[in-house]
Amino acid sequence: MKHLKKIIVITILILFASSMIIYSEIVINSVKFSLDLCINNLFPSMMSFLILSGILENYGFVEIIGYLLKPIMTNVFHLNSNCAYIIILSMLTGSPSNSKYIKQLLELKKITIEDANKILLFSHFVNPIFIIGTVGTIFLGNKKLGFIILISHYISNIIIGIFLRNKNKPKSTNVINPFEIQPNGFITTLSKTIKDTIDTLFLVFGTITSCLILSAIINKYFHFNPIFNGILEITSGLKYTSMTNFNIITKLLISSFFISFGGISIHLQVISILENKKIRYLPYFEARLLQGLISIIISYLLFIIL
């Protein structure tokens, strides 16, 4: 059985490699699109905030946010108050940055593995500038629709956090006085943070590029609709959805689902960053499906009301 699996995998890879040679122009265009997407949209916001987060953590920002938002994190979400740091920064930078923050606090032992698995379920955010500017204004041609998607995206995350929270409140949040923390040297922290950030950005670029190439080649053979593209990689799915003949509310609802589901590309990035951290993927996948469905409902209601 093991040999059969290996043969199947090798055969698929050979066919895929052959397709890349035959349709080399498609591969080149996919890489160019991925590079353009990363350089002009993802990297500017992700890089700055990832570097900033590393520096802030060194100076006790995790504990400050944890102290200020302790009532919400412990009473509403039943989590260690340090998880507030992950929520706040993830809302600004989006996924897969949330997995980077989770890994950071896990390694520093500021959250437990149970906290990590729970906070991962509802810290899936997409950059607000991307939602309002790119999706709303450019793809859907209406900035208002971007705000509707953004609001439904945030509310659905909160609902997921409450619905899937732990049964019991944490006994101790282990919040340390931030003024008692002795930070490492600024240059040392900055240097390490930059190296870690570059590794993360290359991982993001490689994953997005691989998914775009795979999507383009499969579409060449089977001519799948935008839904397939969005499930695999959200940006291409959002782009192709905006180019269809669907009515505006259908485009809105599909786009809202793509944003909250995240796409397999983001899923792979998250799992890769949290590799060897005992993170369970299935609950994360189920939470994304549930969030996508909730986002559709909220977006529809907001579209009617507004």
Side-chain angles (χ1 to χ4, degrees), residues 33-130:
F33 177 73
S34 176
L35 188 61
D36 180 68
L37 170 65
C38 290
I39 291 177
N40 295 318
N41 291 282
L42 298 179
F43 286 0
S45 59
M46 280 187 65
M47 185 173 187
S48 56
F49 276 102
L50 285 174
I51 292 175
L52 180 63
S53 70
I55 298 173
L56 287 173
E57 183 281 321
N58 186 52
Y59 288 93
F61 187 69
V62 175
E63 288 73 20
I64 293 173
I65 292 297
Y67 176 79
L68 294 175
L69 298 180
K70 178 180 178 180
I72 296 176
M73 298 308 298
T74 56
N75 296 320
V76 177
F77 300 115
H78 296 180
L79 281 174
N80 184 315
S81 58
N82 286 336
C83 290
Y85 167 84
I86 298 168
I87 292 290
I88 297 299
L89 289 185
S90 296
M91 290 176 70
L92 296 174
T93 57
S95 293
S97 299
N98 61 326
S99 56
K100 181 68 176 177
Y101 306 137
I102 291 171
K103 180 181 179 181
Q104 187 179 44
L105 296 196
L106 270 175
E107 291 177 344
L108 294 169
K109 298 182 179 180
K110 294 186 178 183
I111 61 173
T112 65
I113 190 63
E114 185 180 7
D115 292 326
N117 274 294
K118 286 295 180 180
I119 196 65
L120 182 63
L121 300 182
F122 66 101
S123 61
H124 168 77
F125 293 98
V126 173
N127 189 290
I129 297 175
F130 175 76

Side-chain angles (χ1 to χ4, degrees), residues 248-258 292 295-297 299-300:
I248 192 63
I249 189 169
T250 301
K251 291 181 179 180
L252 169 67
L253 299 182
I254 292 174
S255 298
S256 187
F257 177 83
F258 286 164
S295 294
I296 288 176
I297 296 171
S299 294
Y300 180 75

Side-chain angles (χ1 to χ4, degrees), residues 159-203:
I159 292 174
I160 292 292
I162 297 174
F163 183 71
L164 299 179
R165 68 184 178 179
N166 298 322
K167 293 182 179 179
N168 301 315
K169 298 179 184 179
K171 294 180 180 180
S172 175
T173 55
N174 299 320
V175 178
I176 303 171
N177 185 340
F179 298 103
E180 295 178 354
I181 296 175
Q182 296 297 321
N184 296 318
F186 179 79
I187 300 299
T188 301
T189 301
L190 180 62
S191 177
K192 181 180 183 302
T193 302
I194 290 174
K195 290 178 181 177
D196 291 343
T197 297
I198 291 174
D199 288 342
T200 301
L201 294 179
F202 271 111
L203 173 63

Side-chain angles (χ1 to χ4, degrees), residues 113-118 120-121 166 270-271 274 277-286:
I113 190 63
E114 185 180 7
D115 292 326
N117 274 294
K118 286 295 180 180
L120 182 63
L121 300 182
N166 298 322
V270 168
I271 298 305
L274 291 171
K277 296 299 179 184
K278 297 181 181 179
I279 296 296
R280 299 187 299 273
Y281 172 67
L282 184 58
Y284 172 75
F285 178 80
E286 293 172 342

